[in-house]
Amino acid sequence: MTESSATKPANGEVCPQVKNGLKPERNGWVKSVHPYHERQPKHQSHPGEQEEEKEVHAASRHGRLYNRPFVECFEETPMLVAVLTYMGYGILTIFGYLRDFLRHWQIERCPIAREREEQKDFVPLYQDFENFYTRNLYMRIRDNWNRPICSVPGAKMELMQRLSHDYNWTFEYTGRIVQDVINLGSYNYLGFAENTGPCADSAAEVTMKYGVGVASTRQETGNLDRHEEMEKLVANFLGVESAMAFGMGFATNSMNIPALAGKGCLILSDELNHTSLVLGARLSGSTIRVFKHNNMQSLEKLLREAIAHGQPRTHRPWKKILILVEGIYSMEGSIVRLPEVIALKKRYKAYLYLDEAHSIGALGPRGRGVVDYFGLDTCDVDVMMGTFTKSFGAAGGYIAGKRELIEYLRSHSHSAVYATSMSPPVVEQIITSMKCIMGEDGTTKGSERIQQLAENTVYFRKRLREMGFIIYGNNDSPVVPMMLYMPAKIGAFGREMFKRNIGVVVVGFPATPIIESRARFCISAAHTKDITAVISIYEIKPGCVAFLPLHHDSLLVSNFHWQSGEV
């Protein structure tokens, strides 16, 4: 078989031939990438099993740009699993059409997801086929989402129990509260989502002084001294000249990118970028070109073509070239190859827009994001964006960078001019939590949380791999996707975990590729590790998957033994 260029490392060396189902990654590397040649021991296999080595090691083209190992794993979906997954979706689709036929003749009642009879003479709001997936696939597993939470979403939470008597079309609340559900789904990376402690006390005090709402924009009568203090603190925290905050993280991207780019500009966007980045790029009116995820060869090719050919038809130079990337990609658990992106950005004189929604607070020895993680200079990133919704346990987002950039956005960003100011208690939550991370509260609790998150992340990923699960992403990413693949597993896994008081997020098509459904765990510094904890791994039938930590209040586990049972 002829070797394709995608299977070769960027430095021209040929990767070892892969026999265990791993495929070349989207960035031209094999699915498991290790920048160093260290040999890792094989995972211990169960009696009778023959396991091949799961990882292929390659030298990094840009190893000199990294001051630490950069390890990411993306194992290809096994062929048999992919075929069975497609068959599963095919069977569901066939039965969906059959059920729609029965509903058409009113043999089966369908109370939702159709136009009402009294509206049949109106122009339909949507085509009937547009809701086919919702009616026939999503409704089967709808009970795994939108569960009402009755407490602070910390390390543990309380959920309201609900039942459905019509196959998830409607839900009935029983009034019973499910206590002590282990929270492995919230983005509470540093554990600041809490209702006790200095953050909660400060927010309560500010509420008594300023109230809850400001009822005005920053440019009118909604600019408080707390807003000014928060923005100065954010700039100091990131090590930049200036910063400004917005009340909504999604709008921080979607409303500010149009202010930075427009017609005659080129936006180069990673294929896995968040919807807010995609929407902002589209609203800007710029030309958009997508490069493969974390693929520096793909990005460089687009940059070269942009410089060489210019704009379509006229071939005039682009007014501006803006590269959009994220720090941590929330569905893949992947970390951006920032040193290489910056090197390309400097070489081709482009601008870099970095979204650190998931990485700020969660990465780096000081919790200052992916720039701190790689030990880079913040001056090399033109636009630093992030949110307060995750590591800080608050709401809203920020844009940081040079003072001229921030002053320009204050008068040109729709989100800055027309949006209501951030709520004072939310601002105080940000200030207090950020001071804790920086150590300005006189304690070391912030650094301890950062260290605890890093330890929990490495430990959790290591134990999942030892147990034989396929997980995606970087070893240091607190977002841990565990692959489920088949559609039936999505609902079954979420329900089985909930039965055991564990709250997880399960994700499937169209949020992921059709053969890459997954459960996504989000690790927190608030999670603990109990040495006496027990993992019960039930007998796994072919095609089934289970990860069932039981007993004690531990959220991460160390010792385990085998118990019989079935899922």
Side-chain angles (χ1 to χ4, degrees):
M1 183 175 65
T2 304
E3 182 180 351
S4 66
S5 60
T7 62
K8 298 180 180 179
N11 60 2
E13 298 178 4
V14 179
C15 293
Q17 188 174 3
V18 183
K19 299 180 180 180
N20 57 1
L22 299 183
K23 73 175 182 181
E25 194 185 353
R26 285 180 287 259
N27 59 6
W29 295 84
V30 290
K31 275 293 193 178
S32 295
V33 178
H34 293 250
Y36 299 94
H37 284 289
E38 302 146 354
R39 300 290 294 179
Q40 301 288 341
K42 295 182 180 180
H43 298 161
Q44 294 182 352
S45 59
H46 305 311
E49 290 186 0
Q50 298 294 329
E51 282 197 1
E52 296 182 356
E53 191 171 3
K54 296 291 185 183
E55 296 169 350
V56 178
H57 304 266
S60 173
R61 173 190 182 189
H62 295 289
R64 63 186 180 278
L65 297 178
Y66 294 87
N67 57 9
R68 56 183 299 157
F70 187 85
V71 184
E72 289 195 349
C73 298
F74 297 94
E75 185 171 332
E76 181 188 11
T77 304
M79 180 61 70
L80 177 60
V81 175
V83 171
L84 293 175
T85 301
Y86 280 120
M87 289 177 60
Y89 277 103
I91 293 171
L92 289 173
T93 302
I94 292 172
F95 274 90
Y97 279 111
L98 176 60
R99 295 181 68 183
D100 276 354
F101 175 79
L102 296 177
R103 291 168 187 150
H104 177 74
W105 294 101
Q106 297 185 352
I107 299 175
E108 179 182 336
R109 296 289 181 181
C110 179
I112 304 178
R114 278 183 176 275
E115 296 281 4
R116 292 178 293 178
E117 284 296 320
E118 55 268 28
Q119 292 180 314
K120 62 182 180 180
D121 294 329
F122 288 80
V123 176
L125 289 174
Y126 53 85
Q127 297 297 320
D128 191 57
F129 181 76
E130 293 175 4
N131 250 323
F132 178 86
Y133 186 90
T134 302
R135 290 194 305 273
N136 299 295
L137 281 79
Y138 170 70
M139 282 298 170
R140 293 174 177 267
I141 54 178
R142 186 186 175 203
D143 56 303
N144 286 281
W145 291 283
N146 305 320
R147 290 192 179 110
I149 299 175
C150 307
S151 68
V152 60
K156 290 186 177 182
M157 56 187 176
E158 299 176 359
L159 300 182
M160 184 179 294
Q161 188 184 64
R162 60 182 184 177
L163 300 174
S164 178
H165 304 289
D166 53 5
Y167 304 101
N168 295 336
W169 287 103
T170 59
F171 291 98
E172 174 186 335
Y173 298 103
T174 64
R176 177 176 173 266
I177 304 299
V178 182
Q179 305 281 345
D180 294 331
V181 177
I182 298 174
N183 184 4
L184 287 175
S186 296
Y187 304 130
N188 185 25
Y189 296 130
L190 292 181
F192 282 113
E194 51 193 1
N195 54 6
T196 59
C199 292
D201 295 340
S202 298
E205 183 179 344
V206 167
T207 302
M208 297 301 295
K209 180 178 180 180
Y210 291 93
V212 175
V214 181
S216 181
T217 65
R218 291 283 298 276
Q219 293 190 358
E220 295 174 348
T221 59
N223 190 35
L224 304 179
D225 57 342
R226 307 306 292 169
H227 293 129
E228 300 285 348
E229 179 181 349
M230 174 188 61
E231 291 179 341
K232 291 179 181 178
L233 186 64
V234 170
N236 185 30
F237 177 67
L238 297 173
V240 296
E241 294 180 3
S242 185
M244 65 181 301
F246 305 88
M248 181 180 179
F250 189 97
T252 305
N253 279 331
S254 60
M255 293 289 100
N256 282 290
I257 294 177
L260 296 173
K263 188 176 180 180
C265 298
L266 174 64
I267 292 179
L268 303 180
S269 177
D270 190 292
E271 65 177 345
L272 296 183
N273 275 343
H274 190 263
T275 305
S276 59
L277 290 169
V278 175
L279 179 60
R282 290 175 177 173
L283 290 175
S284 70
S286 304
T287 300
I288 304 171
R289 291 174 185 165
V290 179
F291 62 92
K292 296 179 181 179
H293 173 58
N294 255 355
N295 187 325
M296 297 303 106
Q297 291 84 1
S298 176
L299 175 58
E300 185 169 14
K301 179 181 177 182
L302 292 178
L303 284 168
R304 282 183 175 178
E305 291 177 352
I307 299 297
H309 301 297
Q311 300 183 38
R313 294 190 301 275
T314 64
H315 300 292
R316 293 177 180 174
W318 294 101
K319 296 179 180 178
K320 191 183 303 179
I321 299 177
L322 183 64
I323 303 172
L324 302 184
V325 293
E326 292 187 51
I328 293 179
Y329 292 84
S330 59
M331 280 299 170
E332 304 291 328
S334 174
I335 296 177
V336 64
R337 296 173 181 268
L338 190 60
E340 299 175 57
V341 175
I342 289 177
L344 289 176
K345 167 239 173 186
K346 289 181 176 180
R347 183 184 306 169
Y348 294 97
K349 303 297 188 291
Y351 293 99
L352 177 59
Y353 186 108
L354 175 63
D355 180 344
E356 292 212 80
H358 287 268
S359 56
I360 190 66
L363 284 181
R366 300 175 299 170
R368 303 188 183 186
V370 69
V371 178
D372 185 32
Y373 175 79
F374 287 112
L376 302 173
D377 189 348
T378 55
C379 296
D380 292 332
V381 180
D382 301 288
V383 185
M384 300 184 67
M385 177 271 172
T387 64
F388 305 116
T389 58
K390 300 167 180 66
S391 295
F392 304 96
Y398 66 83
I399 294 284
K402 293 186 179 298
R403 191 174 308 278
E404 294 82 3
L405 167 71
I406 302 305
E407 293 303 321
Y408 172 82
L409 289 177
R410 289 191 191 279
S411 57
H412 288 79
S413 169
H414 292 303
S415 188
V417 177
Y418 299 108
T420 304
S421 302
M422 294 178 67
S423 174
V426 174
V427 173
E428 191 63 24
Q429 168 76 18
I430 297 168
I431 293 174
T432 309
S433 59
M434 192 169 289
K435 285 184 176 180
C436 179
I437 296 172
M438 298 171 68
E440 292 188 3
D441 61 342
T443 70
T444 59
K445 292 181 179 179
S447 59
E448 290 171 1
R449 292 186 187 225
I450 295 170
Q451 181 65 26
Q452 186 65 48
L453 174 63
E455 293 176 1
N456 289 352
T457 296
V458 173
Y459 180 79
F460 191 77
R461 283 180 169 272
K462 176 184 175 184
R463 294 294 291 123
L464 283 183
R465 284 200 183 95
E466 290 175 353
M467 293 163 63
F469 294 105
I470 299 174
I471 61 175
Y472 274 9
N474 193 286
N475 279 1
D476 296 324
S477 170
V479 179
V480 187
M482 190 185 79
M483 306 312 293
L484 302 177
Y485 298 116
M486 301 180 188
K489 287 184 182 177
I490 302 173
F493 185 83
R495 296 184 191 108
E496 291 299 328
M497 295 290 277
F498 184 61
K499 286 179 183 178
R500 291 155 179 84
N501 273 28
I502 303 170
V504 300
V505 174
V506 288
V507 191
F509 180 80
T512 66
I514 196 168
I515 60 172
E516 294 185 6
S517 299
R518 65 199 65 178
R520 185 182 64 179
F521 302 103
C522 292
I523 307 304
S524 171
H527 293 159
T528 60
K529 182 174 65 177
D530 188 345
I531 298 178
T532 62
V534 178
I535 295 181
S536 295
I537 304 182
Y538 283 59
E539 178 184 349
I540 301 177
K541 294 182 177 181
C544 295
V545 64
F547 171 62
L548 312 173
L550 304 176
H551 310 300
H552 304 281
D553 4 348
S554 72
L555 307 175
L556 300 173
V557 289
S558 53
N559 299 330
F560 68 92
H561 66 267
W562 294 89
Q563 293 182 350
S564 61
E566 291 185 357
V567 175

